[in-house]
Amino acid sequence: MLAPLFLWGMSIDGESSIDGNALPLDLDFRDDVMESLDAVFTFHFEARKDDLLLFAEYQYVSLDPTVEANVGPVNVNADVDLTINTAELGAGYTISETDATRWEVLGGLRWIDQDM
């Protein structure tokens, strides 16, 4: 199966520091992430033979939100460039299967890189 139009919904809650001053970064999926989305690319691949499953996925997301905060007596507006790369590789094995269900054991590796 090849599924090139696949995207996880995400929300981001954290802080970014500028010269020791913390600025909040709070982006919810519906209102902020979709408005700040510059680019997204996702690739997901699965292969199955008998009881063995192999899968791989890569996701690239580029966001450009604007952050507003108070740093002391000063109002600060900052444009943030946020890039997220995620890759995973794994395998699974079917341990039980009926007409209605399939139980699998899955394992793998996931790598995430975020750059702001």
Side-chain angles (χ1 to χ4, degrees):
M1 175 177 79
L2 183 62
L5 299 174
F6 179 82
L7 173 67
W8 286 98
M10 71 173 73
S11 294
I12 299 170
D13 184 14
E15 292 181 350
S16 180
S17 281
I18 299 175
D19 291 331
N21 296 309
L23 297 175
L25 184 60
D26 184 14
L27 305 172
D28 67 48
F29 178 72
R30 188 184 63 181
D31 295 331
D32 300 317
V33 172
M34 291 306 293
E35 290 177 9
S36 303
L37 188 62
D38 278 345
V40 65
F41 173 78
T42 299
F43 174 80
H44 181 84
F45 175 79
E46 292 182 12
R48 179 180 299 278
K49 180 168 178 157
D50 300 325
D51 290 334
L52 181 64
L53 165 70
L54 300 175
F55 60 91
E57 182 171 311
Y58 172 76
Q59 185 178 93
Y60 170 84
V61 178
S62 176
L63 300 171
D64 186 19
T66 299
V67 177
E68 298 176 11
N70 292 327
V71 178
V74 179
N75 253 350
V76 176
N77 291 331
D79 288 324
V80 177
D81 292 324
L82 177 63
T83 303
I84 303 169
N85 288 285
T86 306
E88 68 180 17
L89 182 64
Y93 189 79
T94 302
I95 57 174
S96 176
E97 186 171 3
T98 68
D99 290 338
T101 62
R102 179 184 0 222
W103 291 89
E104 298 175 330
V105 176
L106 299 174
L109 301 171
R110 179 176 289 159
W111 170 80
I112 299 173
D113 178 55
Q114 297 179 353
D115 185 33
M116 187 179 317

